[in-house]
Amino acid sequence: MTNRSSCILDFGRRLLLPASGFAAVALPLAVGAFHFLPVCAQQPAAPLQFEVASVKPSNPNSTNGTLVTITSGGRLHAVNATLKDLIETAYDVRSFQIEGGPKWANAAKYDIDATPGSSARGAAVSPGWTNVRLEVQTLLKDRFQLQLHRETKTSPIYSLVIAKGGIKSSVLSATQSPQKGITAGQGTMLGDAASMAQLAYKLSRLLQRPVVNNTGLEGNYNFKLEWTPDLGPSAPDGQTADTAGGPSIFTALQEQLGLRLEAKKGAVDVLVIDRADRPSKN
């Protein structure tokens, strides 16, 4: 849905590949996604860092989208990635949770290849954070001189609830299968044993606003959701709207699945960039 994407292949996290050539896969996320885990209590005593890291400006003539991947062996590979793309990967946040910083942080693009160090492969880190994310954080501090702090703000959010009339059980059908995820394309989402928390996460990426699962629906569901992508602003106050070519995401959720997005205010944790320099040369 955007030209930014990142993933940790063996951890089933953060992959949204652009429509111009990368395949989209599931994006599992726990409830409470808009509040950071306490990093200070979970990092090892010595900072984890990549053994070797190459950071260089991307080809300015490249027509490829942004790709940020982390392999099962902990290798980081980024193409056409901005500093903010890398912050998303390092801290497991979304673009609307990053504020401040120089203009180039969201414009200048870089190619990065980094291999994990032995300390990362052997270090013990509490569940919820992976060694490789901590290595990316160290890389950003060392090469971009990144400094940031955290704040909690009251911001517009969407609440995902059941619409009047209840869910469309013929389309949003419960399954006993183990949780899998959601695949997404341009104007489509296909849930395969997906949770409502996963659906809320996908919707938040699409709408660039936090979406909190308040459906009360437990377990996993199969579903197919289709809408007409709207290049204009989202429907005001979360109300349903139609585009000229078909239903908006707001209308599709209500008519096809029996769900509704309600506009509210809520607490959202954000990262504020205090300092960032262009990366040092290899």
Side-chain angles (χ1 to χ4, degrees):
M1 298 175 200
T2 70
N3 278 338
R4 282 200 301 269
S5 64
S6 63
C7 69
I8 294 182
L9 300 182
D10 273 15
F11 304 108
R13 304 280 296 252
R14 295 182 60 76
L15 176 60
L16 187 63
L17 300 180
S20 61
F22 300 115
V25 299
L27 288 165
L29 192 75
V31 177
F34 307 103
H35 300 283
F36 301 117
L37 296 173
V39 180
C40 59
Q42 299 183 2
Q43 290 183 343
L48 296 179
Q49 59 186 3
F50 290 108
E51 184 173 346
V52 180
S54 169
V55 180
K56 59 184 181 181
S58 299
N59 180 357
N61 299 318
S62 173
T63 58
N64 295 328
T66 296
L67 173 66
V68 181
T69 62
I70 298 173
T71 70
S72 58
R75 175 174 172 265
L76 171 68
H77 176 66
V79 178
N80 294 330
T82 67
L83 174 58
K84 289 192 175 181
D85 292 329
L86 297 169
I87 292 173
E88 286 187 54
T89 299
Y91 292 92
D92 199 15
V93 296
R94 276 153 276 179
S95 59
F96 55 76
Q97 290 177 277
I98 304 172
E99 298 184 354
K103 291 183 178 180
W104 63 261
N106 202 35
K109 297 184 177 182
Y110 300 91
D111 295 344
I112 299 176
D113 278 294
T115 56
S118 57
S119 60
R121 291 193 291 268
V125 178
S126 301
W129 281 90
T130 65
N131 292 344
V132 69
R133 289 197 191 281
L134 296 176
E135 288 184 306
V136 179
Q137 292 177 23
T138 301
L139 174 69
L140 297 182
K141 292 175 184 177
D142 290 346
R143 301 298 289 274
F144 290 83
Q145 301 302 305
L146 178 67
Q147 296 178 15
L148 44 75
H149 71 274
R150 305 164 188 269
E151 294 182 3
T152 299
K153 297 186 175 183
T154 300
S155 303
I157 67 170
Y158 286 122
S159 175
L160 181 66
V161 299
I162 298 176
K164 291 183 179 180
I167 66 170
K168 310 289 185 180
S169 57
S170 60
V171 180
L172 186 65
S173 57
T175 176
Q176 299 301 314
S177 299
Q179 187 177 109
K180 295 180 182 178
I182 299 172
T183 55
Q186 193 73 1
T188 63
M189 282 189 196
L190 185 63
D192 181 9
S195 69
M196 290 297 99
Q198 288 175 310
L199 175 58
Y201 178 66
K202 277 287 194 180
L203 291 170
S204 73
R205 291 191 66 95
L206 173 67
L207 299 172
Q208 287 299 294
R209 183 184 294 189
V211 177
V212 180
N213 171 32
N214 288 319
T215 63
L217 297 175
E218 304 290 341
N220 304 320
Y221 293 81
N222 297 326
F223 63 86
K224 184 176 183 180
L225 181 66
E226 296 179 293
W227 71 96
T228 299
D230 183 8
L231 299 180
S234 301
D237 299 324
Q239 300 305 305
T240 58
D242 287 321
T243 61
S248 69
I249 183 65
F250 298 93
T251 300
L253 277 168
Q254 187 164 337
E255 294 183 348
Q256 297 173 28
L257 303 185
L259 301 176
R260 178 178 171 82
L261 288 170
E262 295 182 347
K264 295 182 178 296
K265 295 280 189 176
V268 179
D269 285 350
V270 298
L271 292 173
V272 181
I273 299 175
D274 298 314
R275 174 185 174 181
D277 297 340
R278 291 185 184 271
S280 56
K281 295 182 178 180
N282 296 322

